[in-house]
């Protein structure tokens, strides 16, 4: 199965470099290029890519607004968005996760990291390492976050009551940025069992993917950020 990728960045040279890299892989192909968020939304609707590499800062409609619009479209529910950012300690990254992005990647990442990120996102995993979670997300949410809605967060907290004890345990591990295999080892269960608990937690909490589970876990207070 070929992973179909949409590139969204206002720098033509960078898009060209990404296209050469992605198209060089036998299991990937670039289906479109956008220079701003509005074009990214239009091309996402036109091509229905598996993964969008989305620059967060673009003229006009930025990556945040484009991510929110794509994620809100039921017809594009399968699309996974990877935010590209120059600074990993960027408030916009967390806002993008809230908007529905699957994770983020620094523009200075190695080519293999970028290709791996595309495969991870296409496979339904979240691009959130334990270090990134403890740093960026924890610090931002500890400050209250931008655009947080108290009533909305309270509703999410109440929805946690629907989770079983094991689902809560798994959610805590997901919030730590751990993969299914890592969680399985920590909880001494099978990866398939972990996947089942993750899927049930997403359904009960109305989360689009694992990345949103992480944000919900922090916003609801299930996991308390530690600011070092």
């Amino acid at each position: 199965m070929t992973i179909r990728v949409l590139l969204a960045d206002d720098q033509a040279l960078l898009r060209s470099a990404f296209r050469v890299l992605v198209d060089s892989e036998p299991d990937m192909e670039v289906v479109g290029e956008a220079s701003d968020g509005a074009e990214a939304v239009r091309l996402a609707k036109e091509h229905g890519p598996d993964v969008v590499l989305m620059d967060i800062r673009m003229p006009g409609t930025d990556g945040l607004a484009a991510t929110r619009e794509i994620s809100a479209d039921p017809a594009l529910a399968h699309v996974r968005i990877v935010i590209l950012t120059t600074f990993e300690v960027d408030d916009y990254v967390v806002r993008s996760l809230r908007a529905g992005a699957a994770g983020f990647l620094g523009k200075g990442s190695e080519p293999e990291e970028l290709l791996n990120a595309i495969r991870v996102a296409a496979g339904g995993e979240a691009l959130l390492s334990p270090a990134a979670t403890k740093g960026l997300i924890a610090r931002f949410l500890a400050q209250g976050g931008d655009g947080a809605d108290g009533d909305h967060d309270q509703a999410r907290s109440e929805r946690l009551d629907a989770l079983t004890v094991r689902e809560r345990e798994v959610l805590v591990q997901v919030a730590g940025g751990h993969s299914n295999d890592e969680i399985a080892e920590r909880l001494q269960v099978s990866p398939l069992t972990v996947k089942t608990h993750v899927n049930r937690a997403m359904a009960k909490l109305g989360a689009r993917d694992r990345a949103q589970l992480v944000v919900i876990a922090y916003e609801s207070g299930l996991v308390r950020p530690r600011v070092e």
Side-chain angles (χ1 to χ4, degrees):
M1 178 180 175
T2 300
I3 301 173
R4 307 172 73 251
V5 181
L6 173 63
L7 307 175
D9 196 295
D10 62 332
Q11 299 181 49
L13 187 59
L14 195 55
R15 291 200 312 272
S16 296
F18 285 158
R19 173 180 280 276
V20 170
L21 179 63
V22 172
D23 282 342
S24 69
E25 295 297 296
D27 61 336
M28 300 181 190
E29 67 172 334
V30 174
V31 297
E33 295 184 28
S35 59
D36 58 43
E39 188 176 17
V41 173
R42 180 179 64 78
L43 292 178
K45 293 179 179 179
E46 180 179 339
H47 298 292
D50 300 302
V51 177
V52 179
L53 292 182
M54 182 82 75
D55 183 17
I56 202 162
R57 292 188 177 93
M58 293 183 286
T61 302
D62 64 14
L64 174 62
T67 295
R68 184 180 297 111
E69 189 169 347
I70 291 173
S71 299
D73 189 338
L76 300 176
H78 69 286
V79 178
R80 294 292 174 260
I81 301 172
V82 176
I83 295 296
L84 297 174
T85 177
T86 303
F87 305 102
E88 292 192 5
V89 287
D90 190 333
D91 292 351
Y92 284 104
V93 174
V94 176
R95 297 178 198 174
S96 298
L97 294 178
R98 285 193 175 118
F104 63 91
L105 191 70
K107 284 188 175 182
S109 300
E110 295 294 325
E112 283 305 316
E113 290 181 285
L114 178 65
L115 296 174
N116 180 65
I118 293 173
R119 294 188 177 99
V120 169
E125 294 285 339
L127 295 169
L128 300 170
S129 67
T133 301
K134 292 176 182 177
L136 171 67
I137 297 176
R139 282 197 299 273
F140 183 70
L141 293 179
Q143 298 170 358
D146 184 20
D149 184 317
D151 293 337
H152 186 58
D153 293 346
Q154 178 62 31
R156 277 180 169 170
S157 180
E158 292 175 354
R159 271 190 285 171
L160 291 181
D161 294 338
L163 299 183
T164 65
V165 173
R166 180 59 90 179
E167 287 166 356
R168 281 173 176 255
E169 290 176 342
V170 170
L171 179 53
V172 169
Q173 295 298 319
V174 170
H178 301 293
S179 68
N180 284 356
D181 288 342
E182 291 169 337
I183 296 173
E185 183 176 353
R186 283 166 169 259
L187 300 183
Q188 298 185 325
V189 297
S190 72
L192 180 58
T193 296
V194 173
K195 183 177 181 180
T196 298
H197 288 313
V198 170
N199 289 339
R200 287 176 178 170
M202 286 195 294
K204 291 179 180 179
L205 297 174
R208 175 185 172 92
D209 54 27
R210 293 171 72 99
Q212 287 200 328
L213 279 182
V214 173
V215 176
I216 291 173
Y218 277 97
E219 288 182 331
S220 66
L222 180 63
V223 177
R224 297 293 181 183
R226 292 181 301 174
V227 182
E228 298 180 357

